[in-house]
Amino acid sequence: MRIVIAGGHGQIALRLERLLAARGDEVAGIIRRAEQGDDLRNVGAEPVLLDLESASVEEVAAHLRGADAAVFAAGAGPGSGAARKDTVDKAAAVLFADAAVLAGVRRFVIVSSMGADPRHEGDEIFDVYLRAKGEADAHVSGLDALDWTVLRPGALTDDAGNGLVRLEAHTGRGPIPRDDVAAVLAELLDTPATAGLTLELISGSTPVSVAVKSVAGN
């Protein structure tokens, strides 16, 4: 498959790119800064220089044409203010999804967050973040032209992944290594029967492939 990943230099994206390239997929990662390119090349991905905060839907679609799947794994990051939660976590996700529709890419996976909700209340930065992620998820899930899956991981850690997870519509809160998030994303891309599902993900006792097959109804 050819897979295009938004937020290509992110911690989850780099792990995912390495997994996909290792299994023989063609992977492109969208990055904002040219100096990030070598990190993508080192994991086997093709860097695509494009700023999702300023690009048009047509510009993004041009990089998506011919892809078999798209993954939105971009984020404003923990040090960013409320404005960038809106321009990256919400607006860039909406733009990337609309561009996938324009480019004819049906399979679309978005990395969201546990607790994402467009009706989430509060004025703290994290409240704004959860609203932005929720609004992005709502937009993606409303696009009939996409075979979308929304993945909502729990608290992300840099612990080594062990491939054992809990993946359900509602898991409750808990931690999850970024390694295991990437492994689940790779498996979701291979499992189109997960389209139309919003899934929460934390560490658990079920192997990744079994967990994904289970939610897909296999």
Side-chain angles (χ1 to χ4, degrees), residues 34-69:
E35 60 267 25
Q36 298 170 334
D38 283 345
D39 290 336
L40 272 72
R41 293 184 192 96
N42 288 339
V43 297
E46 167 202 343
V48 174
L49 191 61
L50 185 70
D51 188 346
L52 293 176
E53 289 180 89
S54 60
S56 69
V57 67
E58 291 83 6
E59 287 171 324
V60 181
H63 292 288
L64 281 164
R65 285 196 178 90
D68 299 290

PDB file of all heavy atoms in Angstrom, residues 34-69:
ATOM      1  N   ALA A  34      12.122  21.282   6.576  1.00  0.00           N
ATOM      2  CA  ALA A  34      12.965  20.435   5.721  1.00  0.00           C
ATOM      3  C   ALA A  34      13.979  19.644   6.530  1.00  0.00           C
ATOM      4  O   ALA A  34      14.329  18.511   6.178  1.00  0.00           O
ATOM      5  CB  ALA A  34      13.672  21.297   4.683  1.00  0.00           C
ATOM      6  N   GLU A  35      14.460  20.225   7.653  1.00  0.00           N
ATOM      7  CA  GLU A  35      15.492  19.536   8.434  1.00  0.00           C
ATOM      8  C   GLU A  35      14.967  18.263   9.114  1.00  0.00           C
ATOM      9  O   GLU A  35      15.742  17.449   9.617  1.00  0.00           O
ATOM     10  CB  GLU A  35      16.098  20.475   9.488  1.00  0.00           C
ATOM     11  CG  GLU A  35      15.120  21.035  10.497  1.00  0.00           C
ATOM     12  CD  GLU A  35      14.545  22.392  10.089  1.00  0.00           C
ATOM     13  OE1 GLU A  35      14.515  22.694   8.876  1.00  0.00           O
ATOM     14  OE2 GLU A  35      14.137  23.133  10.999  1.00  0.00           O
ATOM     15  N   GLN A  36      13.659  18.084   9.126  1.00  0.00           N
ATOM     16  CA  GLN A  36      13.090  16.857   9.690  1.00  0.00           C
ATOM     17  C   GLN A  36      13.165  15.682   8.708  1.00  0.00           C
ATOM     18  O   GLN A  36      12.933  14.534   9.084  1.00  0.00           O
ATOM     19  CB  GLN A  36      11.621  17.096  10.071  1.00  0.00           C
ATOM     20  CG  GLN A  36      11.438  18.158  11.146  1.00  0.00           C
ATOM     21  CD  GLN A  36       9.974  18.554  11.352  1.00  0.00           C
ATOM     22  OE1 GLN A  36       9.149  18.428  10.432  1.00  0.00           O
ATOM     23  NE2 GLN A  36       9.649  19.013  12.544  1.00  0.00           N
ATOM     24  N   GLY A  37      13.506  15.987   7.454  1.00  0.00           N
ATOM     25  CA  GLY A  37      13.445  14.980   6.396  1.00  0.00           C
ATOM     26  C   GLY A  37      14.318  13.767   6.645  1.00  0.00           C
ATOM     27  O   GLY A  37      13.907  12.632   6.379  1.00  0.00           O
ATOM     28  N   ASP A  38      15.542  13.992   7.165  1.00  0.00           N
ATOM     29  CA  ASP A  38      16.449  12.865   7.373  1.00  0.00           C
ATOM     30  C   ASP A  38      15.893  11.860   8.370  1.00  0.00           C
ATOM     31  O   ASP A  38      16.120  10.651   8.236  1.00  0.00           O
ATOM     32  CB  ASP A  38      17.819  13.366   7.832  1.00  0.00           C
ATOM     33  CG  ASP A  38      18.639  13.948   6.690  1.00  0.00           C
ATOM     34  OD1 ASP A  38      18.267  13.711   5.515  1.00  0.00           O
ATOM     35  OD2 ASP A  38      19.635  14.649   6.964  1.00  0.00           O
ATOM     36  N   ASP A  39      15.172  12.346   9.383  1.00  0.00           N
ATOM     37  CA  ASP A  39      14.598  11.421  10.367  1.00  0.00           C
ATOM     38  C   ASP A  39      13.584  10.490   9.703  1.00  0.00           C
ATOM     39  O   ASP A  39      13.484   9.312  10.062  1.00  0.00           O
ATOM     40  CB  ASP A  39      13.929  12.196  11.508  1.00  0.00           C
ATOM     41  CG  ASP A  39      14.940  12.910  12.397  1.00  0.00           C
ATOM     42  OD1 ASP A  39      16.106  12.459  12.441  1.00  0.00           O
ATOM     43  OD2 ASP A  39      14.570  13.907  13.042  1.00  0.00           O
ATOM     44  N   LEU A  40      12.849  11.015   8.727  1.00  0.00           N
ATOM     45  CA  LEU A  40      11.891  10.166   8.010  1.00  0.00           C
ATOM     46  C   LEU A  40      12.613   9.189   7.089  1.00  0.00           C
ATOM     47  O   LEU A  40      12.265   8.008   7.050  1.00  0.00           O
ATOM     48  CB  LEU A  40      10.908  11.020   7.209  1.00  0.00           C
ATOM     49  CG  LEU A  40       9.653  11.461   7.972  1.00  0.00           C
ATOM     50  CD1 LEU A  40       9.996  12.533   9.005  1.00  0.00           C
ATOM     51  CD2 LEU A  40       8.572  11.955   7.034  1.00  0.00           C
ATOM     52  N   ARG A  41      13.620   9.682   6.386  1.00  0.00           N
ATOM     53  CA  ARG A  41      14.373   8.791   5.494  1.00  0.00           C
ATOM     54  C   ARG A  41      15.018   7.646   6.284  1.00  0.00           C
ATOM     55  O   ARG A  41      15.090   6.513   5.812  1.00  0.00           O
ATOM     56  CB  ARG A  41      15.443   9.588   4.740  1.00  0.00           C
ATOM     57  CG  ARG A  41      14.857  10.606   3.751  1.00  0.00           C
ATOM     58  CD  ARG A  41      15.955  11.307   2.957  1.00  0.00           C
ATOM     59  NE  ARG A  41      15.415  12.457   2.249  1.00  0.00           N
ATOM     60  CZ  ARG A  41      15.468  13.715   2.707  1.00  0.00           C
ATOM     61  NH1 ARG A  41      16.064  13.983   3.864  1.00  0.00           N
ATOM     62  NH2 ARG A  41      14.942  14.708   2.023  1.00  0.00           N
ATOM     63  N   ASN A  42      15.448   7.950   7.508  1.00  0.00           N
ATOM     64  CA  ASN A  42      16.107   6.935   8.331  1.00  0.00           C
ATOM     65  C   ASN A  42      15.170   5.798   8.738  1.00  0.00           C
ATOM     66  O   ASN A  42      15.633   4.701   9.056  1.00  0.00           O
ATOM     67  CB  ASN A  42      16.709   7.573   9.588  1.00  0.00           C
ATOM     68  CG  ASN A  42      17.937   8.414   9.277  1.00  0.00           C
ATOM     69  OD1 ASN A  42      18.564   8.232   8.238  1.00  0.00           O
ATOM     70  ND2 ASN A  42      18.272   9.338  10.162  1.00  0.00           N
ATOM     71  N   VAL A  43      13.862   6.065   8.743  1.00  0.00           N
ATOM     72  CA  VAL A  43      12.907   4.996   9.088  1.00  0.00           C
ATOM     73  C   VAL A  43      12.236   4.429   7.837  1.00  0.00           C
ATOM     74  O   VAL A  43      11.334   3.601   7.930  1.00  0.00           O
ATOM     75  CB  VAL A  43      11.843   5.476  10.108  1.00  0.00           C
ATOM     76  CG1 VAL A  43      12.502   5.873  11.416  1.00  0.00           C
ATOM     77  CG2 VAL A  43      10.988   6.617   9.550  1.00  0.00           C
ATOM     78  N   GLY A  44      12.671   4.903   6.652  1.00  0.00           N
ATOM     79  CA  GLY A  44      12.169   4.336   5.410  1.00  0.00           C
ATOM     80  C   GLY A  44      11.011   5.068   4.775  1.00  0.00           C
ATOM     81  O   GLY A  44      10.354   4.539   3.879  1.00  0.00           O
ATOM     82  N   ALA A  45      10.762   6.312   5.239  1.00  0.00           N
ATOM     83  CA  ALA A  45       9.636   7.082   4.703  1.00  0.00           C
ATOM     84  C   ALA A  45      10.126   8.210   3.807  1.00  0.00           C
ATOM     85  O   ALA A  45      11.247   8.712   3.952  1.00  0.00           O
ATOM     86  CB  ALA A  45       8.792   7.654   5.838  1.00  0.00           C
ATOM     87  N   GLU A  46       9.262   8.604   2.894  1.00  0.00           N
ATOM     88  CA  GLU A  46       9.537   9.735   1.990  1.00  0.00           C
ATOM     89  C   GLU A  46       9.014  11.015   2.631  1.00  0.00           C
ATOM     90  O   GLU A  46       7.822  11.112   2.934  1.00  0.00           O
ATOM     91  CB  GLU A  46       8.815   9.481   0.659  1.00  0.00           C
ATOM     92  CG  GLU A  46       8.729  10.673  -0.269  1.00  0.00           C
ATOM     93  CD  GLU A  46       7.578  10.526  -1.278  1.00  0.00           C
ATOM     94  OE1 GLU A  46       7.077   9.409  -1.464  1.00  0.00           O
ATOM     95  OE2 GLU A  46       7.198  11.568  -1.864  1.00  0.00           O
ATOM     96  N   PRO A  47       9.879  12.016   2.861  1.00  0.00           N
ATOM     97  CA  PRO A  47       9.388  13.269   3.441  1.00  0.00           C
ATOM     98  C   PRO A  47       8.672  14.135   2.397  1.00  0.00           C
ATOM     99  O   PRO A  47       9.134  14.243   1.262  1.00  0.00           O
ATOM    100  CB  PRO A  47      10.651  13.954   3.951  1.00  0.00           C
ATOM    101  CG  PRO A  47      11.771  13.349   3.183  1.00  0.00           C
ATOM    102  CD  PRO A  47      11.335  12.012   2.682  1.00  0.00           C
ATOM    103  N   VAL A  48       7.558  14.714   2.796  1.00  0.00           N
ATOM    104  CA  VAL A  48       6.795  15.634   1.949  1.00  0.00           C
ATOM    105  C   VAL A  48       6.692  16.955   2.702  1.00  0.00           C
ATOM    106  O   VAL A  48       6.098  17.016   3.780  1.00  0.00           O
ATOM    107  CB  VAL A  48       5.387  15.082   1.660  1.00  0.00           C
ATOM    108  CG1 VAL A  48       4.557  16.122   0.911  1.00  0.00           C
ATOM    109  CG2 VAL A  48       5.467  13.782   0.870  1.00  0.00           C
ATOM    110  N   LEU A  49       7.292  18.003   2.157  1.00  0.00           N
ATOM    111  CA  LEU A  49       7.326  19.303   2.833  1.00  0.00           C
ATOM    112  C   LEU A  49       6.041  20.072   2.521  1.00  0.00           C
ATOM    113  O   LEU A  49       5.793  20.450   1.375  1.00  0.00           O
ATOM    114  CB  LEU A  49       8.554  20.089   2.378  1.00  0.00           C
ATOM    115  CG  LEU A  49       8.890  21.357   3.158  1.00  0.00           C
ATOM    116  CD1 LEU A  49       9.167  21.033   4.619  1.00  0.00           C
ATOM    117  CD2 LEU A  49      10.097  22.062   2.530  1.00  0.00           C
ATOM    118  N   LEU A  50       5.230  20.274   3.557  1.00  0.00           N
ATOM    119  CA  LEU A  50       3.927  20.931   3.371  1.00  0.00           C
ATOM    120  C   LEU A  50       3.433  21.401   4.731  1.00  0.00           C
ATOM    121  O   LEU A  50       3.451  20.637   5.701  1.00  0.00           O
ATOM    122  CB  LEU A  50       2.930  19.937   2.764  1.00  0.00           C
ATOM    123  CG  LEU A  50       1.554  20.471   2.379  1.00  0.00           C
ATOM    124  CD1 LEU A  50       1.645  21.399   1.169  1.00  0.00           C
ATOM    125  CD2 LEU A  50       0.598  19.303   2.060  1.00  0.00           C
ATOM    126  N   ASP A  51       2.987  22.649   4.806  1.00  0.00           N
ATOM    127  CA  ASP A  51       2.466  23.200   6.066  1.00  0.00           C
ATOM    128  C   ASP A  51       0.943  23.109   6.057  1.00  0.00           C
ATOM    129  O   ASP A  51       0.281  23.830   5.306  1.00  0.00           O
ATOM    130  CB  ASP A  51       2.916  24.656   6.220  1.00  0.00           C
ATOM    131  CG  ASP A  51       2.573  25.215   7.597  1.00  0.00           C
ATOM    132  OD1 ASP A  51       1.779  24.583   8.322  1.00  0.00           O
ATOM    133  OD2 ASP A  51       3.093  26.291   7.944  1.00  0.00           O
ATOM    134  N   LEU A  52       0.399  22.225   6.871  1.00  0.00           N
ATOM    135  CA  LEU A  52      -1.055  22.020   6.885  1.00  0.00           C
ATOM    136  C   LEU A  52      -1.814  23.191   7.508  1.00  0.00           C
ATOM    137  O   LEU A  52      -3.030  23.238   7.437  1.00  0.00           O
ATOM    138  CB  LEU A  52      -1.389  20.724   7.635  1.00  0.00           C
ATOM    139  CG  LEU A  52      -0.922  19.433   6.951  1.00  0.00           C
ATOM    140  CD1 LEU A  52      -1.219  18.230   7.835  1.00  0.00           C
ATOM    141  CD2 LEU A  52      -1.578  19.267   5.582  1.00  0.00           C
ATOM    142  N   GLU A  53      -1.079  24.135   8.109  1.00  0.00           N
ATOM    143  CA  GLU A  53      -1.751  25.325   8.650  1.00  0.00           C
ATOM    144  C   GLU A  53      -1.941  26.407   7.591  1.00  0.00           C
ATOM    145  O   GLU A  53      -2.684  27.358   7.818  1.00  0.00           O
ATOM    146  CB  GLU A  53      -0.976  25.883   9.840  1.00  0.00           C
ATOM    147  CG  GLU A  53      -1.059  25.002  11.077  1.00  0.00           C
ATOM    148  CD  GLU A  53      -0.274  25.571  12.242  1.00  0.00           C
ATOM    149  OE1 GLU A  53      -0.862  26.356  13.013  1.00  0.00           O
ATOM    150  OE2 GLU A  53       0.921  25.223  12.382  1.00  0.00           O
ATOM    151  N   SER A  54      -1.267  26.259   6.438  1.00  0.00           N
ATOM    152  CA  SER A  54      -1.403  27.290   5.401  1.00  0.00           C
ATOM    153  C   SER A  54      -1.752  26.720   4.029  1.00  0.00           C
ATOM    154  O   SER A  54      -2.121  27.466   3.122  1.00  0.00           O
ATOM    155  CB  SER A  54      -0.109  28.108   5.301  1.00  0.00           C
ATOM    156  OG  SER A  54       0.983  27.269   4.969  1.00  0.00           O
ATOM    157  N   ALA A  55      -1.635  25.419   3.851  1.00  0.00           N
ATOM    158  CA  ALA A  55      -1.887  24.806   2.540  1.00  0.00           C
ATOM    159  C   ALA A  55      -3.379  24.820   2.207  1.00  0.00           C
ATOM    160  O   ALA A  55      -4.236  24.812   3.085  1.00  0.00           O
ATOM    161  CB  ALA A  55      -1.373  23.370   2.534  1.00  0.00           C
ATOM    162  N   SER A  56      -3.668  24.807   0.904  1.00  0.00           N
ATOM    163  CA  SER A  56      -5.057  24.689   0.440  1.00  0.00           C
ATOM    164  C   SER A  56      -5.428  23.218   0.342  1.00  0.00           C
ATOM    165  O   SER A  56      -4.561  22.331   0.322  1.00  0.00           O
ATOM    166  CB  SER A  56      -5.206  25.336  -0.937  1.00  0.00           C
ATOM    167  OG  SER A  56      -4.523  24.563  -1.918  1.00  0.00           O
ATOM    168  N   VAL A  57      -6.728  22.965   0.283  1.00  0.00           N
ATOM    169  CA  VAL A  57      -7.188  21.577   0.170  1.00  0.00           C
ATOM    170  C   VAL A  57      -6.668  20.945  -1.123  1.00  0.00           C
ATOM    171  O   VAL A  57      -6.328  19.757  -1.160  1.00  0.00           O
ATOM    172  CB  VAL A  57      -8.717  21.488   0.293  1.00  0.00           C
ATOM    173  CG1 VAL A  57      -9.419  22.151  -0.897  1.00  0.00           C
ATOM    174  CG2 VAL A  57      -9.188  20.048   0.442  1.00  0.00           C
ATOM    175  N   GLU A  58      -6.567  21.740  -2.191  1.00  0.00           N
ATOM    176  CA  GLU A  58      -6.055  21.224  -3.463  1.00  0.00           C
ATOM    177  C   GLU A  58      -4.580  20.853  -3.354  1.00  0.00           C
ATOM    178  O   GLU A  58      -4.148  19.835  -3.922  1.00  0.00           O
ATOM    179  CB  GLU A  58      -6.250  22.254  -4.578  1.00  0.00           C
ATOM    180  CG  GLU A  58      -7.701  22.488  -4.980  1.00  0.00           C
ATOM    181  CD  GLU A  58      -8.415  23.477  -4.067  1.00  0.00           C
ATOM    182  OE1 GLU A  58      -7.743  24.071  -3.174  1.00  0.00           O
ATOM    183  OE2 GLU A  58      -9.634  23.674  -4.235  1.00  0.00           O
ATOM    184  N   GLU A  59      -3.810  21.664  -2.633  1.00  0.00           N
ATOM    185  CA  GLU A  59      -2.383  21.359  -2.465  1.00  0.00           C
ATOM    186  C   GLU A  59      -2.188  20.055  -1.691  1.00  0.00           C
ATOM    187  O   GLU A  59      -1.323  19.235  -2.029  1.00  0.00           O
ATOM    188  CB  GLU A  59      -1.679  22.510  -1.736  1.00  0.00           C
ATOM    189  CG  GLU A  59      -1.490  23.755  -2.583  1.00  0.00           C
ATOM    190  CD  GLU A  59      -0.990  24.935  -1.767  1.00  0.00           C
ATOM    191  OE1 GLU A  59      -1.396  25.093  -0.596  1.00  0.00           O
ATOM    192  OE2 GLU A  59      -0.176  25.699  -2.310  1.00  0.00           O
ATOM    193  N   VAL A  60      -2.981  19.864  -0.661  1.00  0.00           N
ATOM    194  CA  VAL A  60      -2.870  18.640   0.129  1.00  0.00           C
ATOM    195  C   VAL A  60      -3.332  17.438  -0.699  1.00  0.00           C
ATOM    196  O   VAL A  60      -2.693  16.382  -0.701  1.00  0.00           O
ATOM    197  CB  VAL A  60      -3.683  18.751   1.432  1.00  0.00           C
ATOM    198  CG1 VAL A  60      -3.541  17.472   2.261  1.00  0.00           C
ATOM    199  CG2 VAL A  60      -3.226  19.955   2.259  1.00  0.00           C
ATOM    200  N   ALA A  61      -4.425  17.615  -1.429  1.00  0.00           N
ATOM    201  CA  ALA A  61      -4.952  16.520  -2.248  1.00  0.00           C
ATOM    202  C   ALA A  61      -3.938  16.059  -3.293  1.00  0.00           C
ATOM    203  O   ALA A  61      -3.871  14.870  -3.614  1.00  0.00           O
ATOM    204  CB  ALA A  61      -6.255  16.952  -2.926  1.00  0.00           C
ATOM    205  N   ALA A  62      -3.141  16.982  -3.789  1.00  0.00           N
ATOM    206  CA  ALA A  62      -2.142  16.630  -4.798  1.00  0.00           C
ATOM    207  C   ALA A  62      -1.146  15.607  -4.251  1.00  0.00           C
ATOM    208  O   ALA A  62      -0.643  14.754  -4.989  1.00  0.00           O
ATOM    209  CB  ALA A  62      -1.403  17.882  -5.267  1.00  0.00           C
ATOM    210  N   HIS A  63      -0.861  15.684  -2.954  1.00  0.00           N
ATOM    211  CA  HIS A  63       0.076  14.738  -2.341  1.00  0.00           C
ATOM    212  C   HIS A  63      -0.614  13.438  -1.923  1.00  0.00           C
ATOM    213  O   HIS A  63       0.057  12.457  -1.606  1.00  0.00           O
ATOM    214  CB  HIS A  63       0.743  15.379  -1.128  1.00  0.00           C
ATOM    215  CG  HIS A  63       1.661  16.510  -1.481  1.00  0.00           C
ATOM    216  ND1 HIS A  63       2.873  16.311  -2.094  1.00  0.00           N
ATOM    217  CD2 HIS A  63       1.523  17.849  -1.318  1.00  0.00           C
ATOM    218  CE1 HIS A  63       3.462  17.490  -2.297  1.00  0.00           C
ATOM    219  NE2 HIS A  63       2.664  18.431  -1.843  1.00  0.00           N
ATOM    220  N   LEU A  64      -1.938  13.440  -1.905  1.00  0.00           N
ATOM    221  CA  LEU A  64      -2.690  12.250  -1.509  1.00  0.00           C
ATOM    222  C   LEU A  64      -3.123  11.392  -2.695  1.00  0.00           C
ATOM    223  O   LEU A  64      -3.448  10.214  -2.514  1.00  0.00           O
ATOM    224  CB  LEU A  64      -3.933  12.659  -0.706  1.00  0.00           C
ATOM    225  CG  LEU A  64      -3.684  13.023   0.764  1.00  0.00           C
ATOM    226  CD1 LEU A  64      -4.882  13.772   1.344  1.00  0.00           C
ATOM    227  CD2 LEU A  64      -3.403  11.774   1.587  1.00  0.00           C
ATOM    228  N   ARG A  65      -3.125  11.972  -3.882  1.00  0.00           N
ATOM    229  CA  ARG A  65      -3.595  11.214  -5.049  1.00  0.00           C
ATOM    230  C   ARG A  65      -2.747   9.966  -5.269  1.00  0.00           C
ATOM    231  O   ARG A  65      -1.533  10.012  -5.205  1.00  0.00           O
ATOM    232  CB  ARG A  65      -3.595  12.093  -6.293  1.00  0.00           C
ATOM    233  CG  ARG A  65      -4.744  13.078  -6.272  1.00  0.00           C
ATOM    234  CD  ARG A  65      -5.055  13.729  -7.609  1.00  0.00           C
ATOM    235  NE  ARG A  65      -6.206  14.617  -7.432  1.00  0.00           N
ATOM    236  CZ  ARG A  65      -6.091  15.904  -7.090  1.00  0.00           C
ATOM    237  NH1 ARG A  65      -4.892  16.428  -6.921  1.00  0.00           N
ATOM    238  NH2 ARG A  65      -7.175  16.637  -6.922  1.00  0.00           N
ATOM    239  N   GLY A  66      -3.402   8.856  -5.494  1.00  0.00           N
ATOM    240  CA  GLY A  66      -2.709   7.601  -5.705  1.00  0.00           C
ATOM    241  C   GLY A  66      -2.435   6.820  -4.437  1.00  0.00           C
ATOM    242  O   GLY A  66      -1.977   5.682  -4.493  1.00  0.00           O
ATOM    243  N   ALA A  67      -2.724   7.422  -3.272  1.00  0.00           N
ATOM    244  CA  ALA A  67      -2.513   6.714  -2.005  1.00  0.00           C
ATOM    245  C   ALA A  67      -3.652   5.729  -1.745  1.00  0.00           C
ATOM    246  O   ALA A  67      -4.778   5.921  -2.220  1.00  0.00           O
ATOM    247  CB  ALA A  67      -2.403   7.703  -0.851  1.00  0.00           C
ATOM    248  N   ASP A  68      -3.344   4.683  -1.006  1.00  0.00           N
ATOM    249  CA  ASP A  68      -4.355   3.705  -0.605  1.00  0.00           C
ATOM    250  C   ASP A  68      -4.976   4.050   0.735  1.00  0.00           C
ATOM    251  O   ASP A  68      -6.068   3.578   1.070  1.00  0.00           O
ATOM    252  CB  ASP A  68      -3.731   2.312  -0.514  1.00  0.00           C
ATOM    253  CG  ASP A  68      -3.179   1.869  -1.854  1.00  0.00           C
ATOM    254  OD1 ASP A  68      -3.989   1.599  -2.763  1.00  0.00           O
ATOM    255  OD2 ASP A  68      -1.942   1.813  -2.001  1.00  0.00           O
ATOM    256  N   ALA A  69      -4.266   4.858   1.528  1.00  0.00           N
ATOM    257  CA  ALA A  69      -4.771   5.222   2.856  1.00  0.00           C
ATOM    258  C   ALA A  69      -4.081   6.496   3.316  1.00  0.00           C
ATOM    259  O   ALA A  69      -2.984   6.838   2.870  1.00  0.00           O
ATOM    260  CB  ALA A  69      -4.509   4.093   3.851  1.00  0.00           C
TER     261      ALA A  69
END
